Amino acid sequence: MQFSHDLSLKELAGKILTEPSLHMRFLLEDKTRCQQLFYQGGGISLDLSRQHLWEDVINLLLKKANQAGVQEKFAAMMAGKRVNKSENRAALHSAARNPDIPLLVNNQNIARILGDIHEKAFEFSNKVHEKKICGSKGEPFSDVLLLGIGGSRLGTQAVYEALSSRHKNLLPLHFLSTVDPNAFIAQTRKLNPDTTLVLVVSKSFTTREVVDINLSQIRNWLENAGLRASEHIVHITGKGSPGDRISESFCLEVFNIFDFIGGRYSVTSAVGSLPLSLAFGPDVVKKLLAGCREMDIHAARSPADQNLPLLAALCDIWNGDYLGFPAFAMIPYSAPLRYFPAHMQQLYMESLGKSLTITGETLPHDKLAMFCFGDTGTDAQHSFFQMLHQGRALAMDLIGVLQPPPECRQSAEGHKAHEELWTHLLAQADAFALGRSEGRPEQLCSGNRPVSIITLKNLMAEDIGRLLAFLEARTVYAGFLKNLNPFDQFGVENGKLMATELRRNFSKSSFSSTGTTGFYLKALKDGYLTFPNQNGTQDPPM
Amino acid sequence: MQFSHDLSLKELAGKILTEPSLHMRFLLEDKTRCQQLFYQGGGISLDLSRQHLWEDVINLLLKKANQAGVQEKFAAMMAGKRVNKSENRAALHSAARNPDIPLLVNNQNIARILGDIHEKAFEFSNKVHEKKICGSKGEPFSDVLLLGIGGSRLGTQAVYEALSSRHKNLLPLHFLSTVDPNAFIAQTRKLNPDTTLVLVVSKSFTTREVVDINLSQIRNWLENAGLRASEHIVHITGKGSPGDRISESFCLEVFNIFDFIGGRYSVTSAVGSLPLSLAFGPDVVKKLLAGCREMDIHAARSPADQNLPLLAALCDIWNGDYLGFPAFAMIPYSAPLRYFPAHMQQLYMESLGKSLTITGETLPHDKLAMFCFGDTGTDAQHSFFQMLHQGRALAMDLIGVLQPPPECRQSAEGHKAHEELWTHLLAQADAFALGRSEGRPEQLCSGNRPVSIITLKNLMAEDIGRLLAFLEARTVYAGFLKNLNPFDQFGVENGKLMATELRRNFSKSSFSSTGTTGFYLKALKDGYLTFPNQNGTQDPPM
């Protein structure tokens, strides 16, 4: 290749997107390069051949990773060191899937504690499945309603949908997150309170939406049906939280979670292990954890140049910080993975959406982490892909699944559909890389868009675990590479402070407010009908 | 304000984000300015008080709109002129909701033709509801399955979900879009073929996913259940397409759509009017169309300085082209609007995702239209809002609904939940605008993020129609302001060409391929198990 070690990444980046001889259509002709950029590990594959990468670039990036000591930091994280500096905490999501590897923190074996909670969740689930635990009228539970928001809901929902295609669903899960009464009405309309088990997920047990509003409505819903609410409700909450320090009269059982696992990393804690073992049985959850474990070990122990999450994170840094792409899109070519883009969006944007480094420097605007959004292929092709081909460019992750669903083995048509799905994935990867240089002006595409292809073997619980842990490790590595703390989220506090202030205004007859806020408070008070017009007088009803 | 007419927009923009005295916390103190930036029209309100705007800026932007002749272009569009230049077509989605205003194009009254198709859809729906049209075994239809992808599905699904909170659902709609066999399996598993009515939506009737794969599988599914497929299938397709020129032995009925309404603008053509009148009855669809009509008239006739879609489009140009925001997020604080961000993403990114203007100039990189993504509030607050507060910034639309669901009138708790929802919306708007300047370094937020608040009175069909038409008109106005053609989508052709090439390779024993593509084709052929390793030999199964 044209550039070598003595050029810095910044110099290289300046040339890559403008130098015609470095267009991806030439890079893709080099079979050796393509082979080198196809990685396997932790049970998945990662194809970086359609990235603006070749051996020299990779080596420069790896050197940077080495200088930043990211593998040492990753090992420190898994060993229980307080890598979450601003909150002076460890970050131990990986310990939740490694119960047999002792992990001593403050003389406590954290791995064992987490493992025991999983065992308790499995036992509880078995009793529900065996109808030993029933609703207060004695009817077996038919549905599980999870109250939780953000990290207490999104990861579990993504995994639940993903597992539903290959594993038998024993109890359907339903999710209630937002405080919108429309959501409460829609969810309770389709459920029978007599046979509904409610899981309340909140680490602090002070999350306003979940505890003050939705749980309170759900308790009434159960009691209005003549049920003892306490026999239908389970708390998944922090050790010592208001939901933990309660008497038996309030709930059926409490499962603890801990401040050393953040919400967005918590699917493999009790946050996910209880609902998912209720949905699919303990064995499926054990396989999910085993898949995570396989990837955790790969992420921690593989050499940097063969380490898939680290290489993916380096790609993110390369595309975002150097090549200037403001966003990346995650496109699973797999309907059961449809909530993974939203899960990744939270994981990535909440972990890396900061401008202050761990050592207190402010990142310049062009070094801020990328946005992340996405949707399933082939749907996205018929929606926002137009812009990605001809308008503002971004980086992309396409996710493929090698095995078709088992039902396709007996169906030539199903098989054809699976091949068609892969055809689209590969065709888009090429279309983004190669572009189109023949045709009328409005048909041309400049190509040269960076695409990674992540391939899972199947959609079994192990595969989903591998993907989940891969995305977590990649995010953590990207945080370490950017010298950010990927475990805190102080930016969301401001909205909560503002809400506390506003909430007081609802009960006042007059109030001071910012900008147009008073208009809304007045309209809401006056019966939801009128806004002041531009002369400050009342308009007729809108 | 500090700047006046003699400064250009570019000069202004350069100062706005850096000049401390122009921080939004000062702009919001000016009550007159806030009042002036609060607009009502077409049955909704648009609050631009938290945008980087004041009278002088608005006037400069309006001058630009006037120079670009966008209102004349909008009028030309509604009058049936060929505004879609590259395809030499009119763009007449607005004619689909104005049957009584004659619109003559080539001596045909297009409005009447579209109106008659709606009447035919209403009549068909009534017959299904009255059980005069039944499945081939004589059973009344209980479910409707819509096969369609992109614009043939997304808008209808967004409106369907939105209408479900206030209108009685007579027949549930289900959607099958992607070619993934997992999706086909999941949808058919929950449906009874005897009582399922299938709507096939494809203008060309050559959409591979819909016609070649999914329709073919659905025909088999019906026939394997001993049914006459033709009595369960309805085509919604272009006049003269292969799905139109068929005998009665193929389907129950054909509803025509036309090339002068693009997929992403087609919800109010037969694409939406048939499934939605099956779901809710003709009266609800008539109200939806009336809401659209109200906004269409507002968009076409209001003076520029009171024209909500035009003002919103000017904001988009201001934020994207001048202030440099690469994206905007749409956040409905309303669970029933949960698919509107995806609908808007398609509408906006497919319409404006182009770099070539109508007159053949190439837009510079920093003038390309913004990305659009989003999710419902309050969920998004607990997910990606962290980044928006402290990391990479974008522009935002928050959508609120003034009226709580009717169920809340009898429920103090429901009422409290509705107030809490609005509290969060308003608190976030302030948090993004004001930022946080007190606290530890990791708690600080710079604020100054632009936020629009769009308010609907309620979630009745009229309200949804107004919102739908507002988003369409805003997108069209933004296209005209950027001098783009918002009606074509040539960028998606390239992926289709690549797919045609690849599809041929699946049947060959050897093939030439790009980069790593051969690895995947081989792995898929070999039983979905192995990839070559980096030495080119076979790895053990992944």
Side-chain angles (χ1 to χ4, degrees):
Chain A
M1 278 299 158
Q2 286 81 343
F3 298 122
S4 65
H5 287 286
D6 56 290
L7 275 175
S8 75
L9 287 169
K10 200 177 159 187
E11 285 174 277
L12 265 175
K15 297 186 183 180
I16 273 180
L17 295 177
T18 51
E19 171 67 46
S21 72
L22 290 174
H23 193 286
M24 228 176 270
R25 70 174 69 101
F26 301 111
L27 299 186
L28 278 172
E29 283 174 4
D30 180 343
K31 294 273 174 194
T32 309
R33 171 189 165 279
C34 292
Q35 197 115 326
Q36 283 171 340
L37 290 168
F38 185 89
Y39 299 91
Q40 293 183 71
I44 71 170
S45 76
L46 175 67
D47 178 355
L48 302 181
S49 64
R50 290 172 186 82
Q51 292 285 347
H52 296 286
L53 291 175
W54 54 89
E55 205 178 356
D56 294 345
V57 184
I58 289 269
N59 288 339
L60 282 170
L61 289 167
L62 287 169
K63 199 168 133 193
K64 192 179 155 65
N66 187 40
Q67 285 163 351
V70 297
Q71 286 185 290
E72 292 75 11
K73 287 186 183 176
F74 200 90
M77 174 189 81
M78 286 187 70
K81 302 281 182 263
R82 299 186 177 222
V83 290
N84 178 353
K85 302 268 183 212
S86 65
E87 301 181 297
N88 195 29
R89 288 176 190 164
L92 280 172
H93 50 283
S94 58
R97 44 247 192 171
N98 281 298
D100 299 330
I101 304 175
L103 185 77
L104 291 174
V105 178
N106 298 336
N107 290 321
Q108 289 190 300
N109 182 354
I110 297 294
R112 194 63 268 153
I113 290 170
L114 293 168
D116 287 346
I117 294 169
H118 288 324
E119 290 301 329
K120 182 175 158 186
F122 298 156
E123 206 177 307
F124 183 88
S125 301
N126 284 335
K127 282 186 186 158
V128 170
H129 298 145
E130 291 160 7
K131 307 183 172 61
K132 290 178 184 161
I133 297 177
C134 291
S136 81
K137 289 184 184 166
E139 288 195 55
F141 289 115
S142 64
D143 291 271
V144 178
L145 174 64
L146 189 155
L147 306 192
I149 195 161
S152 300
R153 189 261 303 176
L154 209 41
T156 300
Q157 191 169 13
V159 171
Y160 172 69
E161 292 292 331
L163 295 177
S164 298
S165 78
R166 298 291 193 274
H167 295 284
K168 190 169 156 42
N169 191 196
L170 306 171
L171 282 175
L173 296 188
H174 311 268
F175 299 87
L176 177 57
S177 50
T178 172
V179 73
D180 185 351
N182 288 294
F184 169 80
I185 292 164
Q187 287 295 35
T188 49
R189 192 177 283 157
K190 64 183 180 191
L191 292 170
N192 175 2
D194 296 357
T195 61
T196 299
L197 177 65
V198 179
L199 310 182
V200 188
V201 189
S202 171
K203 202 192 293 176
S204 66
F205 224 78
T206 59
T207 316
R208 202 165 160 89
E209 289 99 321
V210 176
V211 176
D212 296 343
I213 307 285
N214 282 331
L215 177 55
S216 165
Q217 291 189 95
I218 286 290
R219 281 194 167 276
N220 283 351
W221 175 70
L222 293 166
E223 280 160 13
N224 291 341
L227 298 160
R228 286 185 296 276
S230 60
E231 294 178 30
H232 287 250
I233 293 174
V234 168
H235 293 183
I236 301 175
T237 189
K239 189 84 192 152
S241 84
D244 188 41
R245 297 186 303 263
I246 55 166
S247 68
E248 266 178 29
S249 62
F250 266 79
C251 75
L252 201 52
E253 190 58 90
V254 177
F255 293 85
N256 278 138
I257 49 182
F258 301 90
D259 64 9
F260 51 73
I261 301 184
R264 56 194 178 272
Y265 296 95
S266 71
V267 194
T268 50
S269 74
V271 167
S273 73
L274 179 61
L276 294 168
S277 60
L278 284 162
F280 302 105
D283 284 350
V284 171
V285 175
K286 285 175 195 167
K287 285 175 187 162
L288 176 79
L289 297 177
C292 290
R293 187 156 53 237
E294 184 181 348
M295 181 57 77
D296 288 342
I297 292 168
H298 171 82
R301 299 191 194 157
S302 302
D305 65 350
Q306 290 300 319
N307 190 312
L308 274 66
L310 174 52
L311 289 162
L314 285 169
C315 242
D316 289 341
I317 304 301
W318 179 231
N319 286 325
D321 293 8
Y322 291 92
L323 299 176
F325 292 99
F328 75 101
M330 170 170 281
I331 314 292
Y333 277 74
S334 175
L337 298 179
R338 68 182 169 284
Y339 289 121
F340 266 82
H343 171 62
M344 184 59 176
Q345 182 173 59
Q346 152 152 47
L347 183 60
Y348 205 85
M349 290 179 66
E350 199 170 53
S351 296
L352 307 181
K354 291 141 201 181
S355 51
L356 203 68
T357 68
I358 230 159
T359 38
E361 295 96 26
T362 301
L363 289 177
H365 176 262
D366 61 353
K367 298 286 180 195
L368 294 171
M370 296 183 282
F371 302 125
C372 167
F373 61 92
D375 197 353
T376 46
T378 60
D379 293 294
Q381 292 172 200
H382 293 262
S383 167
F384 58 86
F385 270 27
Q386 162 63 36
M387 178 178 280
L388 312 189
H389 284 296
Q390 290 192 314
R392 197 179 282 265
L394 46 61
M396 303 184 82
D397 285 354
L398 309 183
I399 305 180
V401 178
L402 276 182
Q403 295 263 13
E407 290 87 344
C408 289
R409 300 220 181 102
Q410 280 83 48
S411 152
E413 286 202 311
H415 206 86
K416 186 178 159 195
H418 181 70
E419 283 192 355
E420 182 69 15
L421 185 65
W422 266 99
T423 300
H424 281 283
L425 186 162
L426 296 169
Q428 291 296 328
D430 275 354
F432 282 116
L434 304 175
R436 178 174 178 182
S437 49
E438 286 172 13
R440 297 196 308 278
E442 65 266 25
Q443 294 176 313
L444 306 184
C445 303
S446 54
N448 228 11
R449 268 70 169 159
V451 173
S452 297
I453 303 176
I454 298 164
T455 307
L456 312 185
K457 185 179 158 192
N458 204 336
L459 285 172
M460 304 298 287
E462 294 89 338
D463 301 293
I464 304 306
R466 290 167 189 138
L467 177 63
L468 188 70
F470 167 78
L471 298 177
E472 291 171 354
R474 166 189 177 174
T475 302
V476 168
Y477 269 128
F480 290 159
L481 285 165
K482 294 179 85 67
N483 201 28
L484 295 172
N485 180 353
F487 306 110
D488 64 9
Q489 61 280 327
F490 286 103
V492 300
E493 281 183 358
N494 197 25
K496 291 182 190 173
L497 294 176
M498 302 266 177
T500 304
E501 180 61 28
L502 268 170
R503 213 169 275 127
R504 282 195 281 267
N505 286 333
F506 266 101
S507 54
K508 284 186 201 163
S509 58
S510 74
F511 39 79
S512 70
S513 65
T514 314
T516 52
T517 302
F519 295 5
Y520 299 95
L521 295 180
K522 183 158 172 31
L524 288 164
K525 274 187 190 210
D526 287 354
Y528 314 96
L529 280 170
T530 53
F531 279 128
N533 65 21
Q534 295 196 346
N535 308 318
T537 59
Q538 292 268 306
D539 256 358
M542 192 174 84
Chain B
M1 277 298 157
Q2 285 80 344
F3 298 122
S4 65
H5 287 288
D6 56 290
L7 275 176
S8 75
L9 287 169
K10 200 177 160 186
E11 284 174 278
L12 265 175
K15 298 187 184 180
I16 273 180
L17 295 178
T18 52
E19 171 66 45
S21 72
L22 290 173
H23 193 285
M24 229 176 269
R25 70 173 69 101
F26 302 111
L27 299 185
L28 277 172
E29 284 175 3
D30 180 344
K31 293 275 174 193
T32 309
R33 171 189 165 280
C34 291
Q35 196 115 326
Q36 283 172 340
L37 290 169
F38 185 89
Y39 299 91
Q40 293 181 72
I44 71 170
S45 77
L46 174 68
D47 178 355
L48 302 182
S49 63
R50 290 173 187 81
Q51 292 285 346
H52 294 287
L53 291 175
W54 55 88
E55 206 177 357
D56 294 345
V57 184
I58 290 270
N59 288 339
L60 282 171
L61 289 167
L62 287 168
K63 198 169 133 194
K64 192 179 155 67
N66 187 41
Q67 285 164 350
V70 296
Q71 286 185 290
E72 292 75 10
K73 287 186 183 175
F74 200 90
M77 174 189 80
M78 287 188 68
K81 302 282 182 264
R82 299 187 177 221
V83 290
N84 178 351
K85 303 270 182 209
S86 64
E87 300 180 297
N88 194 29
R89 288 175 189 164
L92 280 172
H93 49 283
S94 58
R97 44 246 193 172
N98 282 298
D100 299 330
I101 304 175
L103 185 78
L104 291 174
V105 177
N106 298 335
N107 290 322
Q108 288 190 302
N109 181 355
I110 297 294
R112 193 63 268 153
I113 290 171
L114 293 168
D116 289 346
I117 293 170
H118 288 324
E119 289 301 329
K120 183 175 157 186
F122 298 156
E123 205 177 308
F124 182 89
S125 301
N126 284 335
K127 283 186 186 159
V128 171
H129 297 145
E130 292 160 5
K131 306 182 172 60
K132 290 178 184 161
I133 298 177
C134 291
S136 82
K137 288 183 184 168
E139 288 195 54
F141 289 115
S142 65
D143 291 272
V144 178
L145 174 65
L146 188 156
L147 307 192
I149 195 161
S152 300
R153 188 262 304 176
L154 209 41
T156 300
Q157 191 168 12
V159 171
Y160 172 69
E161 292 292 332
L163 295 177
S164 298
S165 77
R166 299 290 194 273
H167 296 284
K168 189 169 157 41
N169 191 196
L170 306 170
L171 281 175
L173 297 188
H174 310 267
F175 299 87
L176 177 58
S177 50
T178 173
V179 74
D180 184 350
N182 288 293
F184 169 81
I185 292 164
Q187 287 296 35
T188 48
R189 191 177 282 157
K190 64 182 181 191
L191 293 169
N192 175 2
D194 295 358
T195 61
T196 299
L197 177 65
V198 179
L199 311 181
V200 188
V201 189
S202 171
K203 201 192 294 175
S204 66
F205 224 79
T206 60
T207 316
R208 203 165 158 88
E209 289 99 321
V210 175
V211 176
D212 295 344
I213 307 285
N214 282 330
L215 176 55
S216 165
Q217 292 189 95
I218 286 291
R219 281 195 167 274
N220 283 351
W221 174 71
L222 292 166
E223 281 161 12
N224 290 341
L227 298 159
R228 287 184 296 276
S230 61
E231 293 177 29
H232 287 250
I233 293 175
V234 168
H235 293 183
I236 302 176
T237 189
K239 190 85 193 151
S241 85
D244 188 42
R245 296 185 304 264
I246 55 166
S247 70
E248 266 179 28
S249 62
F250 266 78
C251 73
L252 202 51
E253 190 58 90
V254 177
F255 294 85
N256 278 138
I257 48 181
F258 301 90
D259 63 8
F260 51 74
I261 301 184
R264 58 194 178 273
Y265 296 95
S266 71
V267 194
T268 51
S269 74
V271 167
S273 73
L274 179 61
L276 294 168
S277 61
L278 284 163
F280 302 105
D283 284 350
V284 171
V285 175
K286 285 175 195 167
K287 286 175 187 163
L288 176 79
L289 298 177
C292 290
R293 187 155 55 236
E294 183 181 349
M295 181 57 77
D296 288 342
I297 292 168
H298 171 81
R301 299 190 194 159
S302 302
D305 65 351
Q306 290 301 319
N307 191 312
L308 274 66
L310 174 52
L311 289 162
L314 285 169
C315 242
D316 290 340
I317 304 302
W318 180 232
N319 287 326
D321 293 9
Y322 290 92
L323 299 176
F325 292 99
F328 76 101
M330 169 170 281
I331 314 293
Y333 277 73
S334 176
L337 299 179
R338 67 182 170 285
Y339 289 120
F340 266 81
H343 172 61
M344 183 60 176
Q345 181 174 58
Q346 153 152 48
L347 183 60
Y348 206 85
M349 290 178 66
E350 199 170 52
S351 296
L352 307 181
K354 291 140 200 180
S355 50
L356 204 66
T357 68
I358 230 160
T359 38
E361 294 96 25
T362 302
L363 290 177
H365 176 261
D366 61 352
K367 299 284 180 196
L368 295 170
M370 296 183 282
F371 302 126
C372 167
F373 61 92
D375 198 352
T376 45
T378 59
D379 293 294
Q381 292 172 201
H382 293 263
S383 165
F384 58 84
F385 270 27
Q386 161 63 35
M387 177 177 281
L388 312 189
H389 283 296
Q390 290 193 312
R392 197 178 282 265
L394 45 60
M396 303 184 83
D397 285 355
L398 308 184
I399 305 181
V401 179
L402 276 182
Q403 295 263 13
E407 291 85 345
C408 288
R409 300 220 181 102
Q410 281 82 49
S411 152
E413 288 203 310
H415 206 86
K416 187 179 159 195
H418 182 68
E419 282 192 355
E420 181 69 13
L421 185 64
W422 266 99
T423 300
H424 281 283
L425 187 162
L426 296 169
Q428 290 296 326
D430 275 354
F432 282 116
L434 305 176
R436 179 175 178 181
S437 49
E438 284 172 13
R440 297 196 308 277
E442 65 267 24
Q443 293 176 314
L444 306 183
C445 303
S446 54
N448 227 12
R449 269 69 170 158
V451 172
S452 297
I453 302 177
I454 298 164
T455 307
L456 311 185
K457 186 180 158 191
N458 204 336
L459 285 173
M460 305 297 288
E462 293 90 337
D463 301 293
I464 304 307
R466 290 167 189 139
L467 176 63
L468 188 70
F470 167 78
L471 298 176
E472 290 171 355
R474 165 189 178 176
T475 303
V476 168
Y477 269 128
F480 290 159
L481 285 165
K482 294 179 84 69
N483 200 28
L484 295 172
N485 180 351
F487 307 110
D488 64 9
Q489 61 280 326
F490 286 103
V492 300
E493 281 183 358
N494 196 25
K496 292 182 189 173
L497 294 176
M498 302 267 177
T500 305
E501 180 61 27
L502 267 171
R503 213 169 275 127
R504 281 195 281 265
N505 286 333
F506 266 100
S507 53
K508 284 185 200 164
S509 58
S510 74
F511 39 78
S512 71
S513 65
T514 315
T516 52
T517 302
F519 295 6
Y520 299 95
L521 296 179
K522 183 157 170 32
L524 289 163
K525 274 186 190 211
D526 288 354
Y528 313 97
L529 281 170
T530 51
F531 279 130
N533 64 22
Q534 297 196 346
N535 308 317
T537 59
Q538 294 267 307
D539 256 357
M542 193 173 85

